[in-house]
Amino acid sequence: MTHGDESDGGGQAVCEVEREPGPSDSLRTFGAVVQALREHAGLSRTEFGEAVRYSRHTVESVELGRRMPDESFVERAEAATGNTGALRRSAEYLTRGEAGLAAWFRRWARLERVAVSLCTYECRLVPGLLQSEGYMRALCENDVPPLSDDAVETTVRMRTQRQRLLRTRPNTTFDFVVEETVFHRRLGGRQVTAEQLDLILELGLLRNVTVQVMPADSEQHACLSGPVRLLEMPDGRWRAYSEGQENGRLIADPKEVSRIHMRYARLRSLALSPKDSTSLLVRIRGAL
């Protein structure tokens, strides 16, 4: 299911829950590699914990596949085990064992919860963070192959939880640029579309949320390659995320991220201002 964000990226599922992940094959495999490299270096779990500045309990949890390591753990563990690159590369494939969250979106979801700034451009559908419950359900109902009732409820519940970021992180900025055509598509019918537009107009009033519409009659465009997503970490580093059908890619390479950042910045300058975007959305809402 590629319903934005989530997979949402949109998408296949969309939420990020604040809890320890259930064990997954990738977590167990990563943990085994950490343990093997630690033992090869002749370090006990306590000694290794001191080297990476994490507790012995955390080291044990990672090695047993019970804990998702953050970027700091990975980088320090690399240094402590000889900088082979094995941990850094294998960490790119880590996934949580959580239902309702597309496997390829899970690492991005973790970063979203600590980011100080998030930027989203969407040309296919309303971004997951802005979706109304009716719109979420309409996306699920249009999924092919059809989802089970349990899968629909899990997706809606998890996406709704993720959406709380807008209100629970008032010091984080959320910027959205969405194609005008997305708002003209009456997915789910008139009532669902009206409720979706009402929610976007409401969320746009939050001080940390900016919504801009990319007009359909624009003769210029900077993101013709598709949707993009960017976020800034507390340490100032930026990450990007690109998603297609049944896959997604977290981008950390500075040069690649810089190019995507340039495109997004140009796109924002071409889109309608927040005020004009609101006026357009109100007109679209009134025409329903």
Side-chain angles (χ1 to χ4, degrees):
M1 164 163 115
T2 49
H3 309 149
D5 299 61
E6 323 132 26
S7 118
D8 187 356
Q12 214 154 357
V14 230
C15 26
E16 311 75 47
V17 246
E18 294 287 357
R19 66 169 183 268
E20 281 298 302
S24 66
D25 289 344
S26 64
L27 282 171
R28 294 190 184 96
T29 300
F30 180 83
V33 174
V34 172
Q35 182 174 349
L37 290 175
R38 171 181 63 77
E39 293 176 348
H40 182 72
L43 300 172
S44 67
R45 281 178 175 161
T46 298
E47 293 169 334
F48 187 72
E50 293 174 351
V52 298
R53 287 177 276 169
Y54 283 85
S55 68
R56 181 189 184 283
H57 172 72
T58 295
V59 172
E60 180 179 13
S61 293
V62 170
E63 291 186 350
L64 295 178
R66 296 194 303 240
R67 184 184 182 104
M68 178 75 79
D70 57 23
E71 288 192 47
S72 295
F73 182 96
V74 174
E75 291 302 319
R76 294 170 188 170
E78 273 284 6
T81 55
N83 283 310
T84 65
L87 297 181
R88 193 176 294 114
R89 288 195 295 272
S90 59
E92 296 178 3
Y93 302 97
L94 284 174
T95 62
R96 294 173 183 262
E98 296 171 343
L101 181 60
W104 56 83
F105 186 71
R106 291 165 182 164
R107 290 191 67 216
W108 182 263
R110 290 167 51 211
L111 297 179
E112 274 191 332
R113 294 196 295 269
V114 298
V116 297
S117 176
L118 291 107
C119 306
T120 300
Y121 162 63
E122 185 55 76
C123 57
R124 308 163 301 174
L125 47 101
V126 174
L129 286 173
L130 300 178
Q131 291 174 9
S132 66
E133 180 176 337
Y135 191 91
M136 295 176 195
R137 292 186 180 280
L139 287 172
C140 290
E141 290 170 3
N142 280 274
D143 200 26
V144 179
L147 298 176
S148 67
D149 290 345
D150 286 345
V152 171
E153 295 307 316
T154 296
T155 296
V156 171
R157 181 177 68 254
M158 298 294 275
R159 189 165 300 194
T160 299
Q161 288 181 8
R162 173 173 175 261
Q163 202 171 78
R164 294 173 187 167
L165 288 171
L166 298 178
R167 300 183 189 275
T168 60
R169 295 186 61 81
N171 295 321
T172 296
T173 58
F174 296 86
D175 297 308
F176 301 90
V177 178
V178 185
E179 291 290 338
E180 179 183 346
T181 53
V182 168
F183 301 114
H184 287 290
R185 182 178 297 121
R186 298 189 179 185
L187 192 69
R190 179 188 178 282
Q191 185 61 35
V192 168
T193 302
E195 292 174 354
Q196 177 62 80
L197 289 169
D198 288 342
L199 177 61
I200 291 176
L201 290 169
E202 174 189 337
L203 294 174
L205 296 175
L206 298 175
R207 289 194 299 273
N208 62 328
V209 176
T210 299
V211 179
Q212 293 179 256
V213 176
M214 186 63 189
D217 62 359
S218 175
E219 297 182 359
Q220 292 181 289
H221 205 294
C223 289
L224 293 176
S225 296
V228 298
R229 193 167 313 196
L230 292 152
L231 61 74
E232 181 183 8
M233 300 298 291
D235 61 5
R237 289 181 297 171
W238 285 82
R239 294 287 184 269
Y241 177 78
S242 174
E243 182 178 85
Q245 295 213 6
E246 304 299 323
N247 66 79
R249 184 168 70 101
L250 177 62
I251 303 168
D253 178 71
K255 291 183 178 179
E256 192 170 356
V257 172
S258 178
R259 289 195 296 270
I260 294 173
H261 203 294
M262 290 172 61
R263 293 169 191 157
Y264 184 80
R266 175 66 62 83
L267 185 73
R268 287 195 68 186
S269 71
L270 297 172
L272 298 178
S273 69
K275 182 178 179 180
D276 289 342
S277 295
T278 295
S279 297
L280 176 57
L281 293 176
V282 168
R283 292 198 299 274
I284 295 174
R285 172 67 172 84
L288 290 175

